[in-house]
PDB file of all heavy atoms in Angstrom:
ATOM      1  N   VAL Z 148     107.716 -74.016 169.774  1.00 98.00           N
ATOM      2  CA  VAL Z 148     107.762 -73.888 168.308  1.00 98.00           C
ATOM      3  C   VAL Z 148     107.191 -75.162 167.688  1.00 98.00           C
ATOM      4  O   VAL Z 148     107.057 -76.193 168.362  1.00 98.00           O
ATOM      5  CB  VAL Z 148     109.211 -73.661 167.797  1.00 98.00           C
ATOM      6  CG1 VAL Z 148     109.802 -72.378 168.371  1.00 98.00           C
ATOM      7  CG2 VAL Z 148     110.108 -74.860 168.097  1.00 98.00           C
ATOM      8  N   LYS Z 149     106.861 -75.067 166.385  1.00 98.00           N
ATOM      9  CA  LYS Z 149     106.283 -76.232 165.689  1.00 98.00           C
ATOM     10  C   LYS Z 149     107.391 -77.189 165.247  1.00 98.00           C
ATOM     11  O   LYS Z 149     108.568 -76.835 165.211  1.00 98.00           O
ATOM     12  CB  LYS Z 149     105.499 -75.747 164.458  1.00 98.00           C
ATOM     13  CG  LYS Z 149     104.330 -74.840 164.815  1.00 98.00           C
ATOM     14  CD  LYS Z 149     103.103 -75.167 163.964  1.00 98.00           C
ATOM     15  CE  LYS Z 149     101.827 -74.658 164.617  1.00 98.00           C
ATOM     16  NZ  LYS Z 149     101.795 -73.172 164.700  1.00 98.00           N
ATOM     17  N   ASP Z 150     106.981 -78.406 164.876  1.00 98.00           N
ATOM     18  CA  ASP Z 150     107.940 -79.454 164.530  1.00 98.00           C
ATOM     19  C   ASP Z 150     108.745 -79.169 163.264  1.00 98.00           C
ATOM     20  O   ASP Z 150     109.783 -79.781 163.035  1.00 98.00           O
ATOM     21  CB  ASP Z 150     107.225 -80.804 164.376  1.00 98.00           C
ATOM     22  CG  ASP Z 150     106.756 -81.341 165.721  1.00 98.00           C
ATOM     23  OD1 ASP Z 150     107.193 -80.782 166.758  1.00 98.00           O
ATOM     24  OD2 ASP Z 150     105.963 -82.300 165.750  1.00 98.00           O
ATOM     25  N   ASP Z 151     108.238 -78.246 162.429  1.00 98.00           N
ATOM     26  CA  ASP Z 151     108.981 -77.948 161.185  1.00 98.00           C
ATOM     27  C   ASP Z 151     109.841 -76.679 161.327  1.00 98.00           C
ATOM     28  O   ASP Z 151     110.342 -76.137 160.353  1.00 98.00           O
ATOM     29  CB  ASP Z 151     108.006 -77.791 160.011  1.00 98.00           C
ATOM     30  CG  ASP Z 151     106.998 -76.677 160.245  1.00 98.00           C
ATOM     31  OD1 ASP Z 151     107.028 -76.054 161.347  1.00 98.00           O
ATOM     32  OD2 ASP Z 151     106.176 -76.409 159.341  1.00 98.00           O
ATOM     33  N   PHE Z 152     110.023 -76.211 162.571  1.00 98.00           N
ATOM     34  CA  PHE Z 152     110.725 -74.948 162.813  1.00 98.00           C
ATOM     35  C   PHE Z 152     112.227 -75.101 162.574  1.00 98.00           C
ATOM     36  O   PHE Z 152     112.827 -76.131 162.895  1.00 98.00           O
ATOM     37  CB  PHE Z 152     110.475 -74.495 164.247  1.00 98.00           C
ATOM     38  CG  PHE Z 152     110.944 -73.100 164.558  1.00 98.00           C
ATOM     39  CD1 PHE Z 152     110.294 -71.990 164.023  1.00 98.00           C
ATOM     40  CD2 PHE Z 152     112.037 -72.893 165.397  1.00 98.00           C
ATOM     41  CE1 PHE Z 152     110.726 -70.704 164.318  1.00 98.00           C
ATOM     42  CE2 PHE Z 152     112.476 -71.598 165.693  1.00 98.00           C
ATOM     43  CZ  PHE Z 152     111.816 -70.504 165.155  1.00 98.00           C
ATOM     44  N   VAL Z 153     112.803 -74.052 161.992  1.00 98.00           N
ATOM     45  CA  VAL Z 153     114.259 -73.972 161.850  1.00 98.00           C
ATOM     46  C   VAL Z 153     114.719 -72.731 162.604  1.00 98.00           C
ATOM     47  O   VAL Z 153     114.335 -71.615 162.260  1.00 98.00           O
ATOM     48  CB  VAL Z 153     114.689 -73.887 160.362  1.00 98.00           C
ATOM     49  CG1 VAL Z 153     116.211 -73.768 160.257  1.00 98.00           C
ATOM     50  CG2 VAL Z 153     114.199 -75.111 159.594  1.00 98.00           C
ATOM     51  N   LEU Z 154     115.520 -72.931 163.641  1.00 98.00           N
ATOM     52  CA  LEU Z 154     115.982 -71.817 164.476  1.00 98.00           C
ATOM     53  C   LEU Z 154     117.285 -71.269 163.910  1.00 98.00           C
ATOM     54  O   LEU Z 154     118.170 -72.028 163.521  1.00 98.00           O
ATOM     55  CB  LEU Z 154     116.208 -72.316 165.914  1.00 98.00           C
ATOM     56  CG  LEU Z 154     116.614 -71.290 166.976  1.00 98.00           C
ATOM     57  CD1 LEU Z 154     115.503 -70.271 167.212  1.00 98.00           C
ATOM     58  CD2 LEU Z 154     116.986 -71.987 168.287  1.00 98.00           C
ATOM     59  N   SER Z 155     117.401 -69.945 163.875  1.00 98.00           N
ATOM     60  CA  SER Z 155     118.615 -69.331 163.336  1.00 98.00           C
ATOM     61  C   SER Z 155     118.933 -68.073 164.125  1.00 98.00           C
ATOM     62  O   SER Z 155     118.127 -67.599 164.925  1.00 98.00           O
ATOM     63  CB  SER Z 155     118.407 -68.961 161.868  1.00 98.00           C
ATOM     64  OG  SER Z 155     117.433 -67.933 161.779  1.00 98.00           O
ATOM     65  N   LYS Z 156     120.119 -67.551 163.868  1.00 97.00           N
ATOM     66  CA  LYS Z 156     120.505 -66.295 164.514  1.00 97.00           C
ATOM     67  C   LYS Z 156     119.471 -65.213 164.188  1.00 97.00           C
ATOM     68  O   LYS Z 156     119.119 -64.404 165.052  1.00 97.00           O
ATOM     69  CB  LYS Z 156     121.889 -65.872 164.005  1.00 97.00           C
ATOM     70  CG  LYS Z 156     122.376 -64.587 164.635  1.00 97.00           C
ATOM     71  CD  LYS Z 156     123.756 -64.200 164.160  1.00 97.00           C
ATOM     72  CE  LYS Z 156     124.143 -62.880 164.842  1.00 97.00           C
ATOM     73  NZ  LYS Z 156     125.487 -62.444 164.529  1.00 97.00           N
ATOM     74  N   GLU Z 157     118.954 -65.254 162.948  1.00 97.00           N
ATOM     75  CA  GLU Z 157     118.058 -64.196 162.482  1.00 97.00           C
ATOM     76  C   GLU Z 157     116.691 -64.236 163.173  1.00 97.00           C
ATOM     77  O   GLU Z 157     116.120 -63.201 163.490  1.00 97.00           O
ATOM     78  CB  GLU Z 157     117.878 -64.290 160.955  1.00 97.00           C
ATOM     79  CG  GLU Z 157     119.117 -63.872 160.161  1.00 97.00           C
ATOM     80  CD  GLU Z 157     120.312 -64.831 160.309  1.00 97.00           C
ATOM     81  OE1 GLU Z 157     120.097 -66.061 160.439  1.00 97.00           O
ATOM     82  OE2 GLU Z 157     121.466 -64.354 160.330  1.00 97.00           O
ATOM     83  N   ASN Z 158     116.134 -65.438 163.388  1.00 97.00           N
ATOM     84  CA  ASN Z 158     114.782 -65.487 163.970  1.00 97.00           C
ATOM     85  C   ASN Z 158     114.779 -65.764 165.474  1.00 97.00           C
ATOM     86  O   ASN Z 158     113.720 -65.914 166.080  1.00 97.00           O
ATOM     87  CB  ASN Z 158     113.905 -66.508 163.221  1.00 97.00           C
ATOM     88  CG  ASN Z 158     114.373 -67.952 163.436  1.00 97.00           C
ATOM     89  OD1 ASN Z 158     115.223 -68.228 164.267  1.00 97.00           O
ATOM     90  ND2 ASN Z 158     113.791 -68.873 162.667  1.00 97.00           N
ATOM     91  N   PHE Z 159     115.957 -65.820 166.085  1.00 97.00           N
ATOM     92  CA  PHE Z 159     116.035 -66.219 167.495  1.00 97.00           C
ATOM     93  C   PHE Z 159     115.204 -65.313 168.399  1.00 97.00           C
ATOM     94  O   PHE Z 159     114.468 -65.786 169.287  1.00 97.00           O
ATOM     95  CB  PHE Z 159     117.500 -66.223 167.970  1.00 97.00           C
ATOM     96  CG  PHE Z 159     117.728 -67.097 169.176  1.00 97.00           C
ATOM     97  CD1 PHE Z 159     118.237 -68.379 169.038  1.00 97.00           C
ATOM     98  CD2 PHE Z 159     117.401 -66.650 170.451  1.00 97.00           C
ATOM     99  CE1 PHE Z 159     118.423 -69.199 170.142  1.00 97.00           C
ATOM    100  CE2 PHE Z 159     117.589 -67.464 171.562  1.00 97.00           C
ATOM    101  CZ  PHE Z 159     118.101 -68.744 171.407  1.00 97.00           C
TER     102      PHE Z 159
END
Side-chain angles (χ1 to χ4, degrees):
Chain Z
V148 299
K149 298 221 159 65
D150 289 348
D151 59 358
F152 190 70
V153 179
L154 184 65
S155 66
K156 181 178 179 176
E157 288 68 34
N158 68 10
F159 202 99

